[in-house]
Amino acid sequence: MPPYLIPLRYPNRLYGHGKTADEWKLVDYQALSSMALSCISSRSGVSVDERSLRDMLQDLKRRQFRNGTVDNFKTTALVTQALFIHDSYKTDFNLDSAMKVLMDGLERSKSLLDAYYALPVLNRKSLLDVTSSHCRKEPIVEEEALQKALDVIGETMTVLYSVWMGEEINVGRTWRLKVRVNSTIYDAIETVAKIDNRQKVEYNGMDGKPYVAALNGKEDDPEMGMFWFVYLKTQSSDEDPKIVEESPVDIKLQPNQEIILWYKRGPWNG
């Protein structure tokens, strides 16, 4: 039998005095089940018995004591959240008293769990609001993420950032970045990683400074003689890119430079 049906079928088990902890857990389940059913009913094409939902909410209202509590702090918070469905709290429920119980409880308690249950209620929110305002938010497309990452404050400059694979550069991609003046190669690398998590770079430390060792899980391969190198070139120049031997944190960028992360054989391999 679903837990949320038990209080409806056997009300005497919960209405009387001397309720056990397990019996009061059923009220928690009923509040959570009410929110779950309301969430399901809000989705198109899914039918829920609204009468049963209203009966469950009405049943929850009967649990409130004269001082505003519904047995304990947690249950009071969950029941109040549930009664925000269809504004059910407006009749046969003392919302002000319940709010006071939760505010007084938070003042006395230092429990993070208590805050987790109560803070939504004090903001007239519930678990249903978390679902609608956070979980169902449309994903940001790459262009929007790029714009957000590049929305920098202060004096800026434009640079290019490229990833090359192999001697023939058979795989490559380039980003145009707007970065703060005096940004380093490291800053540019981390900016691209924010735009696209597939471009996350891992580093090896040397003398307390980072050096590129992997990109998107592709690591240096000493056995094959393949390593990640950082190169720099000027966009308008026909000169070949120049290898950067210093750490990315030590090289400040100039306007219109191109940073190249290049996975290739080491120059010492001939």
Side-chain angles (χ1 to χ4, degrees):
M1 179 183 300
Y4 61 81
L5 293 181
I6 294 178
L8 296 175
R9 287 197 171 191
Y10 303 103
N12 292 332
R13 291 189 58 189
L14 294 175
Y15 291 160
H17 298 288
K19 306 173 188 66
T20 67
D22 285 341
E23 287 174 327
W24 273 113
K25 284 181 183 178
L26 296 177
V27 182
D28 294 349
Y29 294 152
Q30 184 171 338
L32 290 169
S33 299
S34 299
M35 287 186 276
L37 286 175
S38 180
C39 180
I40 292 171
S41 69
S42 67
R43 299 180 182 178
S44 59
V46 179
S47 178
V48 170
D49 187 346
E50 289 291 336
R51 180 176 178 180
S52 293
L53 177 58
R54 287 194 300 270
D55 287 346
M56 291 167 63
L57 295 173
Q58 192 63 35
D59 186 71
L60 289 174
K61 297 177 186 181
R62 301 190 186 102
R63 314 296 181 192
Q64 188 180 37
F65 298 133
R66 291 181 179 179
N67 66 355
T69 63
V70 184
D71 182 59
N72 57 52
F73 186 94
K74 174 187 173 184
T75 302
T76 301
L78 288 176
V79 167
T80 307
Q81 286 191 44
L83 292 178
F84 287 141
I85 299 170
H86 303 323
D87 292 335
S88 301
Y89 66 88
K90 290 185 175 180
T91 60
D92 303 322
F93 186 79
N94 192 329
L95 179 63
D96 291 338
S97 295
M99 289 284 198
K100 187 176 187 305
V101 167
L102 296 176
M103 287 189 289
D104 291 346
L106 285 180
E107 288 180 0
R108 294 191 302 268
S109 172
K110 303 298 182 183
S111 167
L112 181 62
L113 188 59
D114 284 350
Y116 171 82
Y117 288 118
L119 289 180
V121 177
L122 299 181
N123 287 280
R124 301 296 180 99
K125 302 290 184 181
S126 71
L127 293 175
L128 296 176
D129 294 287
V130 174
T131 299
S132 62
S133 64
H134 296 89
C135 302
R136 296 177 61 185
K137 186 178 294 183
E138 292 297 324
I140 299 176
V141 298
E142 183 173 332
E143 290 77 8
E144 292 175 352
L146 175 61
Q147 184 61 43
K148 186 175 181 180
L150 301 185
D151 187 15
V152 295
I153 300 173
E155 189 177 357
T156 63
M157 60 184 179
T158 300
V159 298
L160 296 182
Y161 175 92
S162 299
V163 176
W164 293 357
M165 302 288 289
E167 301 296 332
E168 303 298 328
I169 318 177
N170 50 20
V171 177
R173 187 173 180 186
T174 299
W175 291 260
R176 182 179 297 274
L177 307 177
K178 183 167 64 175
V179 298
R180 292 185 181 90
V181 171
N182 293 325
S183 292
T184 65
I185 293 177
Y186 177 85
D187 295 328
I189 291 173
E190 292 302 301
T191 296
V192 174
K194 292 177 183 178
I195 298 168
D196 184 349
N197 58 18
R198 294 168 298 181
Q199 307 305 318
K200 183 178 180 181
V201 170
E202 298 176 26
Y203 304 91
N204 282 334
M206 187 179 301
D207 296 327
K209 296 182 179 180
Y211 289 81
V212 176
L215 172 64
N216 192 26
K218 186 73 172 178
E219 300 179 347
D220 288 341
D221 189 345
E223 292 186 3
M224 298 297 294
M226 301 291 287
F227 297 87
W228 284 104
F229 296 94
V230 178
Y231 284 78
L232 270 180
K233 72 183 293 288
T234 302
Q235 295 178 38
S236 59
S237 172
D238 293 331
E239 296 181 0
D240 292 335
K242 294 183 178 180
I243 193 169
V244 176
E245 296 182 352
E246 297 90 339
S247 169
V249 298
D250 289 332
I251 304 299
K252 290 187 177 180
L253 294 165
Q254 300 298 320
N256 300 315
Q257 280 188 314
E258 181 176 6
I259 310 147
I260 302 167
L261 261 62
W262 195 348
Y263 189 70
K264 62 190 292 287
R265 290 188 178 276
W268 55 84
N269 290 329

